[in-house]
Amino acid sequence: MSSHILVLGGTAEARELAAVLAARDGVRVTSSLAGRVTRPGALDGDVRVGGFGGAEGLASWLREHRVDAVVDATHPFAEAITRNAARAAATGVPLVVLRRPGWRPGPGDCWHPVVSLHAAAELLPRIGRRAFLTTGRLGLAAFAHLAETHFVVRSVEPPEPPMPPDTRVVLARGPFTVAGEKELLTAHRIDVLVTKDSGGAATAAKLSAARELGLPVVVVRRPPLPPELTAVPDVSAVLERLGRAAGPTPSDPRGCGAADTCP
Ligand code: NAP
């Protein structure tokens, strides 16, 4: 009997998970994207794009498409879809939340943790005058009133107003290297980095570059998960949680789950 797994995506981990599941016998995987990026890149398995229409819409979609399990592998700052997934799953569909671990400061780092983009904007003028802003093109509005700060903004797609008046846009998609990040920070004479605690390797190089250049970093903390949810940190932990719904592993054709005690 086959199972149908919905992966709420938009991250590298969601892409990796879709590839693993799509390669398994007896598993149908559908990746769901919000549709924010115009050319999202190929994904293994089926793909659907666009919002579901809130938690109720998602719950209907799960019923209509006979979904056996949902994996919320969305970005740690995508709060609304995670809330909706929790509510929709409460109607009886197993939900696994995948969150890559957050970043941690190392020796020599000068980090200023803040609770929100607005808190970052409030603090920023006291820390620097030339900011490298990597908080995503949709987060620029929080900084739009800062006329005295020069911003270099990096995003995958061109940002839309409102944004700060003195803004230079760099369009690029990770992964980035430490050498490349140091070059960018130096070329633009950046004196402070602003980032969300997205975690993951693809965009971590900027933190190493900031450390090596002795630059302060304003780090926006992650929003908390809904209290009823706990997250797992990687794709293999998701597969373990999914158990039989994830189908047999290539090395275990009987499909034993991690908690099984088969000889
Ligand atoms: P959000 O605020 O949590 O979601 C807003 C609405 O967008 C949701 O209520 C839902 O609409 C729809 N949506 C979000 N993710 C979806 C998905 N994977 N499939 C279908 N509909 C989705 O999300 P966001 O912060 O705008 O992020 C949107 C997407 O970009 C997410 O998939 C996330 O993984 C990815 N992303 C986000 C960030 C970030 O910093 N926030 C960074 C990188 C990638 P309905 O209520 O109509 O269902």
Side-chain angles (χ1 to χ4, degrees):
M1 212 174 70
S2 74
S3 60
H4 184 193
I5 296 176
L6 175 69
V7 177
L8 301 170
T11 59
E13 295 74 29
R15 179 181 301 276
E16 185 191 334
L17 178 63
V20 171
L21 291 173
R24 293 194 167 186
D25 290 335
V27 178
R28 178 180 163 213
V29 58
T30 302
S31 292
S32 175
L33 303 175
R36 306 274 192 275
V37 177
T38 42
R39 291 190 307 150
L43 277 160
D44 292 303
D46 297 338
V47 179
R48 67 162 301 286
V49 180
F52 295 94
E56 292 73 22
L58 177 54
S60 308
W61 200 97
L62 298 180
R63 272 193 307 275
E64 278 163 29
H65 294 82
R66 298 177 185 279
V67 171
D68 297 289
V70 181
V71 180
D72 172 12
T74 57
H75 192 273
F77 283 81
E79 276 185 276
I81 187 71
T82 295
R83 234 177 7 250
N84 292 348
R87 283 178 51 204
T91 59
V93 182
L95 168 66
V96 181
V97 181
L98 167 57
R99 284 289 178 277
R100 58 175 94 129
W103 291 316
R104 293 281 166 267
D109 278 328
C110 171
W111 285 18
H112 300 270
V114 291
V115 295
S116 66
L117 289 172
H118 288 282
E122 203 178 314
L123 178 68
L124 192 56
R126 283 182 268 149
I127 309 271
R129 284 270 172 259
R130 298 181 64 84
F132 182 35
L133 193 57
T134 62
T135 50
R137 71 192 164 108
L138 301 175
L140 292 188
F143 301 87
H145 61 289
L146 295 179
E148 304 296 314
T149 309
H150 173 73
F151 285 93
V152 175
V153 169
R154 182 168 65 198
S155 59
V156 176
E157 308 252 322
E160 282 160 26
M163 65 175 95
D166 185 6
T167 295
R168 174 134 185 203
V169 176
V170 176
L171 294 182
R173 190 195 289 259
F176 303 103
T177 64
V178 177
E181 299 292 57
K182 277 172 77 174
E183 206 176 304
L184 187 146
L185 292 170
T186 308
H188 292 278
R189 293 180 289 117
I190 296 300
D191 60 12
V192 57
L193 166 67
V194 186
T195 180
K196 295 197 266 197
D197 178 16
S198 298
T203 57
K206 62 191 170 195
L207 298 168
S208 305
R211 180 185 312 131
E212 290 182 24
L213 295 172
L215 298 181
V217 184
V218 178
V219 182
V220 182
R221 286 207 182 104
R222 295 175 172 198
L225 278 179
E228 68 273 30
L229 299 182
T230 53
V232 298
D234 53 33
V235 165
S236 60
V238 171
L239 297 172
E240 215 168 276
R241 278 275 181 98
L242 286 173
R244 291 181 192 282
T249 60
S251 60
D252 182 2
R254 296 165 305 165
C256 296
D260 295 345
T261 55
C262 321

